[in-house]
Amino acid sequence: MAQVTFTGTNASITLHGVRFEPGKPALIEDDSIVKKLRDRSDFEIQEEEGGKKSSSKSSKATEKDDNNSSKEKADADADNPPTA
């Protein structure tokens, strides 16, 4: 079971029989649907494990964030070359 939040730009989207609106979490009890949505970059997943919540972005979104961080670091290094 997980809370799934659509983070895309559409007014709403319906997938797997569930209507998602941006920023409004939907409770998804079917683990197979949660698994499919996890592969999409426009969803955030909050797993509910024994009363606890653990948050995760989709793997594609996390990879995109990692790439942006590397690019930002490279840009910062280029702007501030080492001095001797």
Side-chain angles (χ1 to χ4, degrees), residues 15-57:
L15 294 171
H16 309 289
V18 180
R19 182 173 180 233
F20 296 94
E21 295 179 48
K24 292 187 178 180
L27 181 63
I28 307 297
E29 295 181 358
D30 187 335
D31 289 335
S32 66
I33 293 174
V34 173
K35 184 178 178 181
K36 290 174 185 176
L37 295 175
R38 187 172 280 121
D39 292 335
R40 296 181 56 112
S41 63
D42 50 354
F43 286 89
E44 286 185 2
I45 313 294
Q46 287 187 330
E47 298 284 345
E48 295 187 3
E49 301 170 10
K52 296 180 182 178
K53 289 184 180 179
S54 64
S55 180
S56 68
K57 288 185 178 180

Side-chain angles (χ1 to χ4, degrees), residues 36 38 65 69 77:
K36 290 174 185 176
R38 187 172 280 121
D65 290 346
S69 295
D77 289 345

